[in-house]
C-alpha cells in the first residue's frame, strides 16, 4: 500500500514488462525509505520561520542527554534488551495465534527469570524504581509479556506482599519469585469493575472447620477478565465480602471486601480444583498473549490463614479485629496498597509513547516527498503539518517521562516510609497521571500511524499492535474517567482545607498562592507582554497553568455548592462532571510542567539542558495555545500576546525538529527494540523490501 503523499503520476512511464515495473517500484521505494538524510531542511519554511531569529542548529551532546534520561537503571534494561535480542525463539512474530501467543508469553517470562537470571519480584517492594525499569524494557519486547509479568508480580505477588503478613510472605515469596506459584488477581466481576465496594463474591467463615467458604452467589459475581486465569494460574487473590456468623437476629455480619488466597489448579496435574470453574474470555482487541479468564466458585473451602490479614483478621473463634475502625478506612487502606499498578501503567504508557514517537519521527526524517521545482525532494518532517503532528508529541513524551519518574520516586519513598500524607499524595497523583498519560498515548498512536501514511498501516511497522495492546490501559487499574474524578475530589478537599487554614502537601501547595492570584484581577500590563524572553520564562508558563487550575477549581466549587441545594450531592456532581474532569486534567498538566521545568534546571550538561529547554517551552506554550480561549475570556492573555504565543509555538516546533533525531536517539531504542522496518537507522530499504518478499 502506498500513502497519498507517495502516489506517482498514474500516466507516467507505463512499462510492458512486469519485471521492469517491479524493479522501478523497488528503486522508488528505496529512495523514499533510505534517502540522503543530509539534505537541507525545506528552504521556504526555513526562511519564513527564521527571518527574525538565528537558524543555527543546536549541537546536542547525545550521550549526556541519554545518560540523563535513562538514569541509574539503564544497565538492567540493556540486559533485558540483549537477552531477547539473542533469543529469536522468544521474539513475537507478526502473525501468531492466540494460543501460541499465550504460550510464548509464558516462555518469555520463564526465560527472563530462569535463563537471564532477572528476578523482578525481588524489587517489587525493596526497589520499585528498578522493577518499573524492568517492566518498561519487557513491555518493549511484547506488551502482552509486560502485562503478564505485571499480573504475576505486581498484582498477584504484590497483593501477597502488601495485603498479607509475614506468614504469607514466608510461604509464598519463593514460589511467586521463581514462577512455581503462578497466580491471578481476581477483583473485577461481571457486574462490578470500578465500584469495588459493590463486589458480590462472598467468603463466609465456618468456625466449626476453621475455614472460609468462597462462593459466587450469582452470574453477576463471576470474576471476569482475570489475567493468568484461563491457562497458567495456580492461585488467585480473590476479593470477596468477609461474612461472619453472629448471635443476633441477622445471623451474619458483612465486614466488607477483603482479599483471600484461593488455589484454583492442582500443583502437580494443573487440573482445575473442585468447586472452581474456569472459562476462557477468548480473543480480545489486543494483549492476546495474556490468558484472561472468568472464575466461578461453588463452596470452595480455604484455611483461615489464607485471609490476607494485614488490615483485618479473624480469630479461631470467629472474632474480627482490625487496627482500622471502619469498613471504609479498611477498604481505603487495602486499595491504597495496590496503587503500584497505576504507577506501573503510567510509566509503561510513556514507554509505549517513546516507541511510537521514535518510529514516526525516524520515518519522517527518512521519508522524502515533493520539493521546490528542479530541486531534490525534502524530508516530510520539514513540512509544517508534520511538525505540528509530531513535535509537540515529542515534547510531551519528555514531559511525561520526567513526571512519571517523579511518580515512581514518590511511590518508592511511600513504600519505605508509609507516611500517611505521602500515601494520599501518591494515590491522587498516580490516578491523575495514569489517566492523563494513557489517554494521550492512545490518541498519539493513531496520530503516529497517520503520520507514516500507508507504510504506517503495515502490521510489521507496529502501530496496529501497539495501538490495540495499549488501548486497554485506559480502562484497567481504574477507568480513566473515574480516576480523574478522584483527582477532582481530592482537589476540592484541599480547596476546602485551604480556606480552613489547613496545610497543603508539596503537590498541591501551589494552590495557595495561585488561588490568591486568581481572586485578584489579571495584571493588564503582563497580559500584554509578548517578548520571547517573557513567553519562554518558566515562571510565566507555570503561573499560566496554575492560574487556569485555580480558576477552574474556584468555579466548580461554586457550581457544586449552587446545584447541591436543588439536586443533592450526587446530582450536583453529575451536573458538573465535565467541568470536574477538565479541572483534574488541568491540575495534572500543572504538575507535569513543574516536573519538566525542574528536570531542565537539574540537567548537568549545557547542550542537553538547552535541548530539554526547547522541548519544555514547546510543551508549555503548545498547551497554553490549545486552551487560549480560557485565557482570553478572562483577559489573562491579550490578543497581541495570544498571537505571539502562536508564532513562538510554530518556531519552537521548527527548532525541536532540528534536534528531533538527537531527542529521539536519547531514548536509546535500537532497531531490535523498535522493530519497525520503516524506522530502521541502517539499511531500512533492504529491511522493508525483505518483509514483502523481494
Amino acid at each position: 500500500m502506498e500513502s497519498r503523499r507517495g502516489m506517482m503520476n498514474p500516466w507516467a512511464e507505463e512499462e510492458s514488462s512486469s519485471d521492469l515495473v517491479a524493479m522501478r517500484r523497488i528503486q522508488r521505494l528505496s529512495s523514499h525509505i533510505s534517502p540522503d538524510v543530509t539534505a537541507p531542511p525545506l528552504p521556504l519554511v526555513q526562511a519564513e520561520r527564521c527571518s527574525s531569529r538565528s537558524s543555527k542548529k543546536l549541537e546536542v551532546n547525545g550521550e549526556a542527554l541519554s545518560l540523563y534520561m535513562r538514569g541509574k537503571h539503564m544497565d538492567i534494561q540493556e540486559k533485558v534488551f540483549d537477552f531477547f535480542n539473542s533469543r529469536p525463539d522468544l521474539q513475537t512474530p507478526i502473525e501468531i495465534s492466540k494460543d501460541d501467543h499465550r504460550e510464548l508469553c509464558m516462555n518469555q517470562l520463564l526465560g527472563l527469570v530462569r535463563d537471564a537470571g532477572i528476578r523482578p519480584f525481588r524489587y517489587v517492594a525493596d526497589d520499585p524504581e528498578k522493577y518499573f525499569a524492568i517492566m518498561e524494557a519487557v513491555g518493549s519486547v511484547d506488551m502482552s509479556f509486560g502485562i503478564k509479568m505485571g499480573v504475576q508480580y505486581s498484582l498477584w505477588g504484590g497483593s501477597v506482599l502488601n495485603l498479607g503478613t509475614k506468614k504469607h510472605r514466608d510461604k509464598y515469596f519463593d514460589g511467586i519469585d521463581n514462577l512455581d506459584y503462578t497466580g491471578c488477581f481476581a477483583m473485577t466481576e461481571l457486574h462490578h469493575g470500578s465500584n469495588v465496594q459493590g463486589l458480590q463474591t462472598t467468603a463466609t467463615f465456618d468456625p466449626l472447620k476453621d475455614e472460609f467458604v468462597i462462593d459466587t452467589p450469582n452470574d453477576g459475581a463471576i470474576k471476569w477478565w482475570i489475567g493468568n486465569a484461563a491457562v497458567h494460574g495456580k492461585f488467585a487473590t480473590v476479593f470477596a465480602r468477609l461474612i461472619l456468623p453472629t448471635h443476633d437476629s441477622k445471623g451474619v455480619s458483612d465486614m466488607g471486601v477483603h482479599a483471600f488466597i484461593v488455589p484454583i489448579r492442582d500443583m502437580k496435574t494443573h487440573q482445575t480444583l473442585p468447586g472452581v470453574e474456569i472459562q476462557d474470555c477468548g480473543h480480545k482487541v489486543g494483549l492476546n498473549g495474556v490468558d484472561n479468564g472468568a472464575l466461578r466458585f461453588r463452596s470452595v473451602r480455604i484455611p483461615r490463614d489464607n485471609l490476607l490479614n494485614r488490615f483485618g483478621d479473624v480469630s479461631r473463634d470467629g472474632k474480627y479485629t482490625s487496627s482500622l475502625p471502619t469498613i471504609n478506612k479498611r477498604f481505603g487502606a487495602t486499595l491504597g496498597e495496590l496503587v503500584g499498578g497505576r504507577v506501573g501503567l503510567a510509566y509503561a504508557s510513556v514507554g509505549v509513547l517513546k516507541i511510537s514517537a521514535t518510529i514516526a519521527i525516524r520515518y519522517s526524517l527518512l521519508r522524502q516527498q515533493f520539493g521546490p521545482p528542479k530541486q531534490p525532494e525534502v524530508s516530510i518532517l520539514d513540512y509544517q503539518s508534520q511538525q505540528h503532528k509530531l513535535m509537540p508529541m515529542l515534547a510531551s513524551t519528555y514531559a511525561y517521562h520526567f513526571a512519571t519518574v517523579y511518580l515512581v520516586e514518590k511511590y518508592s519513598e511511600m513504600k519505605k516510609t508509609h507516611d500517611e500524607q505521602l500515601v494520599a499524595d501518591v494515590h491522587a497523583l498516580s490516578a491523575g497521571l495514569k489517566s492523563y498519560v494513557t489517554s494521550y498515548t492512545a490518541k498519539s498512536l493513531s496520530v503516529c500511524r497517520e503520520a507514516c501514511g500507508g507504510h504506517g498501516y503495515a502490521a510489521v511497522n507496529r502501530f496496529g499492535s501497539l495501538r490495540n495492546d495499549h488501548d486497554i490501559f485506559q480502562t484497567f487499574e481504574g477507568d480513566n474517567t473515574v480516576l480523574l474524578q478522584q483527582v477532582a475530589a481530592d482537589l476540592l478537599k484541599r480547596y476546602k482545607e485551604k480556606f480552613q487554614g489547613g496545610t497543603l502537601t508539596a503537590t498541591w501547595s501551589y494552590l495557595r498562592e495561585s488561588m490568591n492570584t486568581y481572586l485578584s484581577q489579571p495584571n493588564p500590563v503582563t497580559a500584554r507582554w509578548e517578548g520571547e524572553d517573557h513567553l519562554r520564562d518558566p515562571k510565566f508558563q507555570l503561573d499560566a497553568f496554575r492560574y487556569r487550575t485555580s480558576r477552574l477549581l474556584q468555579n466548580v466549587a461554586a457550581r457544586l455548592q449552587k446545584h447541591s441545594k436543588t439536586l443533592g450531592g450526587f446530582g450536583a456532581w453529575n451536573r458538573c462532571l465535565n467541568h470536574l474532569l477538565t479541572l483534574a486534567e488541568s491540575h495534572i498538566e500543572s504538575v507535569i510542567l513543574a516536573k519538566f521545568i525542574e528536570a531542565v534546571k537539574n540537567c548537568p550538561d549545557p547542550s542537553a539542558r538547552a535541548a530539554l529547554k526547547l522541548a519544555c517551552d514547546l510543551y508549555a506554550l503548545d498547551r497554553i495555545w490549545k486552551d487560549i480561549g480560557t485565557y482570553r475570556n478572562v483577559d489573562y492573555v491579550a490578543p497581541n500576546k495570544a498571537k505571539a504565543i502562536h508564532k513562538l509555538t510554530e518556531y519552537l516546533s521548527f527548532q525541536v525538529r532540528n534536534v528531533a533525531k538527537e531527542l529521539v536517539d536519547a531514548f536509546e531504542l535500537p532497531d531490535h527494540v523498535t522493530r519497525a522496518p520503516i524506522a530502521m537507522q541502517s539499511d531500512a530499504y533492504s529491511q522493508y523490501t525483505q518483509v514483502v518478499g523481494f
Side-chain angles (χ1 to χ4, degrees), residues 194 342 345 434 473-483:
S194 299
R342 293 174 185 170
L345 281 183
K434 182 269 182 187
F473 280 43
Q474 300 172 94
T475 302
F476 60 20
E477 292 295 323
D479 174 86
N480 282 358
T481 302
V482 174
L483 293 183

Side-chain angles (χ1 to χ4, degrees), residues 368-492:
Q368 293 180 328
Q369 288 290 277
F370 306 113
K374 298 182 180 180
Q375 293 188 35
E377 290 185 303
V378 299
S379 163
I380 63 173
L381 197 56
D382 285 322
Y383 287 100
Q384 188 182 55
S385 56
Q386 195 79 344
Q387 292 173 13
H388 180 72
K389 289 176 183 177
L390 297 178
M391 294 305 95
M393 183 192 301
L394 179 57
S396 296
T397 305
Y398 269 82
Y400 304 156
H401 167 83
F402 291 118
T404 53
V405 166
Y406 168 73
L407 173 61
V408 169
E409 290 171 350
K410 297 292 284 185
Y411 175 75
S412 299
E413 183 184 349
M414 180 199 82
K415 296 298 290 182
K416 293 173 183 175
T417 65
H418 301 288
D419 179 77
E420 287 188 13
Q421 191 56 65
L422 191 56
V423 170
D425 206 359
V426 170
H427 177 78
L429 187 59
S430 63
L433 281 173
K434 182 269 182 187
S435 175
Y436 190 91
V437 171
T438 58
S439 292
Y440 183 90
T441 299
K443 295 181 181 72
S444 297
L445 283 162
S446 290
V447 173
C448 287
R449 203 294 304 157
E450 181 186 344
C452 293
H455 295 310
Y457 199 62
V460 72
N461 291 319
R462 297 198 67 194
F463 291 121
S465 60
L466 288 171
R467 183 169 55 188
N468 289 348
D469 286 345
H470 178 274
D471 192 64
I472 194 61
F473 280 43
Q474 300 172 94
T475 302
F476 60 20
E477 292 295 323
D479 174 86
N480 282 358
T481 302
V482 174
L483 293 183
L484 285 177
Q485 290 180 70
Q486 292 180 13
V487 176
D490 203 68
L491 283 166
L492 288 163

Side-chain angles (χ1 to χ4, degrees), residues 176-408:
I176 295 172
D177 178 50
N178 64 25
L179 297 174
D180 285 341
Y181 294 172
T182 48
C184 320
F185 185 81
M187 177 181 281
T188 298
E189 295 178 357
L190 183 59
H191 282 182
H192 288 89
S194 299
N195 182 13
V196 179
Q197 281 188 297
L199 296 179
Q200 299 177 64
T201 301
T202 59
T204 305
F205 182 60
D206 180 355
L208 296 178
K209 294 190 176 181
D210 196 26
E211 294 174 336
F212 286 102
V213 182
I214 311 296
D215 267 307
T216 303
N218 54 63
D219 287 352
I222 295 172
K223 297 295 182 180
W224 209 268
W225 294 124
I226 310 305
N228 261 3
V231 179
H232 297 123
K234 295 182 174 72
F235 296 87
T237 294
V238 176
F239 288 80
R241 314 193 74 81
L242 197 165
I243 307 298
L244 292 178
T246 61
H247 300 292
D248 57 18
S249 58
K250 292 183 179 179
V252 295
S253 178
D254 184 343
M255 307 307 296
V257 175
H258 289 63
F260 303 82
I261 295 176
V262 181
I264 60 174
R265 287 187 173 94
D266 186 274
M267 288 296 296
K268 294 181 179 179
T269 67
H270 204 64
Q271 294 299 307
T272 303
L273 291 173
V276 179
E277 297 177 12
I278 304 177
Q279 299 296 332
D280 195 324
C281 287
H283 201 275
K284 307 183 292 290
V285 170
L287 295 179
N288 281 297
V290 182
D291 52 316
N292 294 87
L295 300 172
R296 183 197 287 272
F297 303 100
R298 297 187 187 275
S299 299
V300 176
R301 289 182 170 270
I302 59 173
R304 179 169 53 88
D305 277 351
N306 283 27
L307 166 65
L308 293 171
N309 61 337
R310 179 178 171 187
F311 298 115
D313 203 359
V314 175
S315 65
R316 176 65 184 84
D317 59 358
K319 291 183 179 179
Y320 185 84
T321 56
S322 174
S323 59
L324 301 171
T326 66
I327 287 178
N328 285 341
K329 285 191 176 295
R330 292 192 293 270
F331 178 75
T334 298
L335 291 194
E337 285 299 321
L338 303 175
V339 74
R342 293 174 185 170
V343 175
L345 281 183
Y347 193 81
S349 184
V350 177
V352 177
L353 185 57
K354 288 175 185 176
I355 292 172
S356 59
T358 295
I359 295 171
I361 290 169
R362 283 180 178 164
Y363 171 79
S364 297
L365 285 165
L366 291 168
R367 177 79 163 177
Q368 293 180 328
Q369 288 290 277
F370 306 113
K374 298 182 180 180
Q375 293 188 35
E377 290 185 303
V378 299
S379 163
I380 63 173
L381 197 56
D382 285 322
Y383 287 100
Q384 188 182 55
S385 56
Q386 195 79 344
Q387 292 173 13
H388 180 72
K389 289 176 183 177
L390 297 178
M391 294 305 95
M393 183 192 301
L394 179 57
S396 296
T397 305
Y398 269 82
Y400 304 156
H401 167 83
F402 291 118
T404 53
V405 166
Y406 168 73
L407 173 61
V408 169

